[in-house]
């Protein structure tokens, strides 16, 4: 394969920020007891990359049988954002990612595709001094399948020349849906979810570079 384009997920792929979001969801639902908050965490971990808006709708229906209003979803999302924004901005980088991006951003085409709201991920990327390395930064409310297809068509990208780097089932799903190459960034939270995954995987960007350098 010859790689010319890379789609990056953000949490767990660029920043070690998955844990911050997990604990924020736990905190929001801790008032309802350990049973509910633990289920919230389990669902979040097993559905990484699904937008917070969809998760809140799911939990409110599952636990309280409520079809909540858009205003209430936005209220919960605002609480969540207030809890995690600075933590995500300040979180450690995935080892080697910044040097990898700086080394290859002029040779390859980079985009971010994430479940985080677009307006929020733009702030995070700017604060982490990443925004100038990416052609575009795209998040919810559109999902990852939408963005992969949108970018392929808008920028006339070849599917066989495009790699999606992700750590969640939604990342893999979008890559499969759009017939892209996929590489899994391994971490502690997704180890059990991807225990049967046989494809490309990497723990850090030093390892990723070794695996793909002959194809870029």
């Amino acid at each position: 394969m010859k790689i010319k384009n890379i789609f990056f997920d953000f949490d767990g792929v660029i920043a070690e920020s998955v844990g911050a979001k997990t604990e924020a969801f736990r905190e929001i639902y801790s008032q309802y007891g350990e049973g509910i908050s633990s289920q919230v965490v389990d669902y979040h971990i097993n559905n990484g990359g699904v937008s917070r808006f969809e998760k809140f709708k799911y939990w409110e229906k599952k636990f309280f049988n409520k079809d909540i209003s858009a205003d209430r979803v936005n209220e919960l999302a605002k609480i969540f954002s207030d809890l995690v924004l600075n933590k995500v901005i300040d979180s450690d980088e995935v080892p080697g990612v910044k040097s990898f991006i700086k080394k290859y951003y002029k040779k390859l085409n980079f985009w971010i595709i994430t479940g985080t709201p677009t307006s929020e991920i733009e702030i995070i990327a700017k604060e982490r001094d990443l925004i100038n390395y990416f052609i575009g930064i795209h998040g919810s409310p559109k999902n990852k399948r939408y963005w992969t297809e949108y970018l392929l068509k808008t920028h006339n990208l070849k599917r066989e020349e495009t790699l999606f780097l992700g750590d969640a089932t939604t990342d893999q799903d979008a890559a499969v849906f759009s017939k892209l190459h996929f590489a899994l960034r391994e971490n502690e939270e997704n180890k059990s979810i991807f225990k049967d995954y046989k494809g490309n995987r990497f723990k850090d960007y030093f390892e990723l570079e070794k695996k793909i350098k002959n194809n870029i």
Side-chain angles (χ1 to χ4, degrees), residues 15-27:
E16 300 282 27
S17 47
V18 175
K21 294 192 170 182
T22 301
E23 292 311 308
F25 283 127
R26 186 196 303 276
E27 184 174 338

Side-chain angles (χ1 to χ4, degrees), residues 105-136:
Y105 83 100
K106 291 183 179 178
K107 180 178 182 180
L108 305 173
N109 303 308
F110 291 162
W111 288 266
I112 290 175
I113 299 177
T114 176
T116 300
T118 298
S119 58
E120 186 174 306
I121 194 62
E122 287 175 345
I123 293 170
I124 292 166
K126 183 177 181 180
E127 291 297 317
R128 293 182 69 103
D129 193 26
L130 289 170
I131 202 160
N132 293 325
Y133 299 106
F134 293 90
I135 296 170

Side-chain angles (χ1 to χ4, degrees), residues 80-204:
F80 180 85
S81 181
D82 289 344
L83 287 171
V84 302
L85 182 60
N86 287 331
K87 290 180 181 178
V88 173
I89 290 170
D90 294 335
S91 61
D92 292 338
E93 70 168 38
V94 171
V97 66
K98 193 71 175 286
S99 60
F100 178 89
I101 290 170
K102 287 182 175 181
K103 183 174 181 179
Y104 291 108
Y105 83 100
K106 291 183 179 178
K107 180 178 182 180
L108 305 173
N109 303 308
F110 291 162
W111 288 266
I112 290 175
I113 299 177
T114 176
T116 300
T118 298
S119 58
E120 186 174 306
I121 194 62
E122 287 175 345
I123 293 170
I124 292 166
K126 183 177 181 180
E127 291 297 317
R128 293 182 69 103
D129 193 26
L130 289 170
I131 202 160
N132 293 325
Y133 299 106
F134 293 90
I135 296 170
I137 297 175
H138 306 286
S140 62
K142 301 294 188 183
N143 64 30
K144 295 179 180 181
R145 283 186 176 192
Y146 172 88
W147 286 122
T148 53
E149 288 299 305
Y150 174 86
L151 294 175
L152 287 164
K153 293 170 183 174
T154 301
H155 296 278
N156 197 28
L157 309 179
K158 293 182 179 179
R159 298 172 192 270
E160 67 272 16
E161 294 177 346
T162 306
L163 172 65
F164 198 129
L165 304 179
D167 71 328
T169 54
T170 50
D171 304 321
Q172 183 185 27
D173 170 75
V176 171
F177 178 79
S178 292
K179 298 180 175 61
L180 312 177
H181 300 289
F182 178 71
L184 173 71
R185 196 270 159 152
E186 297 179 288
N187 56 48
E188 286 302 312
E189 290 200 353
N190 69 16
K191 186 180 294 185
S192 62
I193 299 168
F194 286 97
K195 64 181 184 299
D196 297 322
Y197 173 72
K198 304 299 184 185
N200 291 320
R201 57 175 72 218
F202 65 102
K203 289 186 172 64
D204 57 47

